[in-house]
Amino acid sequence: MERTFVAIKPDGIQRGLVGEVISRLERRGLKLVAIRLMIVDEGLARRHYAEHVERPFFPSLVDFITSGPIVAMIWESDNAVALARQTIGATNPAEATPGTIRADLGIDTGRNIVHGSDSPESAEREIGLFFEPGHALDYVRSNDPWLRES
Ligand code: DAT
Ligand code: MG
């Protein structure tokens, strides 16, 4: 089992898309194991997006992600990182595949609703930034045998 970090960004909350985003990941079959409604401060924003520090859009990205509450989550499944990224869609909603969250719900790269870790290593790092160790729950879902053959 793999875990990935997904966050509904401030635009997703302000537009009332929290349920929609969670529902899409749930229906895909991923399992929610941790969730937190929170404000990201500038320090956390800069650490989370550290790989982009030299990019021209970095200051507006930090402003945006700190502009209102986000929903930070950990989702679990086989291949969770890739599956969540696939359900989320490409970075630019205008280029994302229809059927993905970003294509169906957005139009602009700077307002693309949701974050998803891009690798298992990023997921581990990002989970560590947003959650205390041991915060994620281990639990059995009764429909798992209907979702996975083994
Ligand atoms: P992703 O969120 O798909 O992993 P990323 O890691 O390359 O994409 O970038 C992080 C976020 O930064 C992205 O969700 C939106 C913003 N961003 C990326 N490229 C951008 C650009 N060219 N102009 C404005 N914002 C951008
Ligand atoms: Mg990224």
Side-chain angles (χ1 to χ4, degrees):
M1 278 294 173
E2 189 171 270
R3 286 178 172 174
T4 190
F5 175 72
V6 174
I8 304 172
K9 300 183 188 183
D11 55 334
I13 299 216
Q14 297 299 326
R15 293 177 56 205
L17 296 175
V18 171
E20 172 81 28
V21 170
I22 289 176
S23 179
R24 284 175 178 235
L25 293 166
E26 278 184 317
R27 283 185 290 151
R28 183 81 199 266
L30 283 87
K31 181 162 84 172
L32 183 63
V33 297
I35 183 164
R36 183 179 169 205
L37 180 68
M38 62 183 287
I39 304 271
V40 177
D41 66 22
E42 189 188 331
L44 177 57
R46 295 181 70 89
R47 287 198 296 285
H48 174 63
Y49 282 127
E51 65 177 310
H52 299 304
V53 68
E54 303 295 346
R55 310 287 288 278
F57 59 80
F58 185 75
S60 56
L61 182 58
V62 170
D63 282 351
F64 167 56
I65 205 71
T66 58
S67 65
I70 69 150
V71 177
M73 298 173 285
I74 306 173
W75 289 86
E76 187 179 275
S77 73
D78 294 327
N79 218 9
V81 169
L83 291 189
R85 290 278 287 190
Q86 191 184 52
T87 294
I88 290 165
T91 306
N92 181 352
E95 292 168 4
T97 305
T100 62
I101 292 169
R102 284 169 169 171
D104 291 353
L105 305 174
I107 53 173
D108 186 85
T109 302
R111 299 286 185 270
N112 64 7
I113 307 149
V114 53
H115 167 85
S117 305
D118 64 6
S119 68
E121 296 71 34
S122 300
E124 201 175 315
R125 188 183 80 84
E126 293 168 358
I127 286 169
L129 287 175
F130 287 84
F131 291 94
E132 300 295 329
H135 189 107
L137 296 186
D138 253 329
Y139 64 98
V140 175
R141 236 175 8 180
S142 59
N143 67 356
D144 277 343
W146 301 104
L147 191 63
R148 303 169 69 245
E149 188 173 8
S150 57

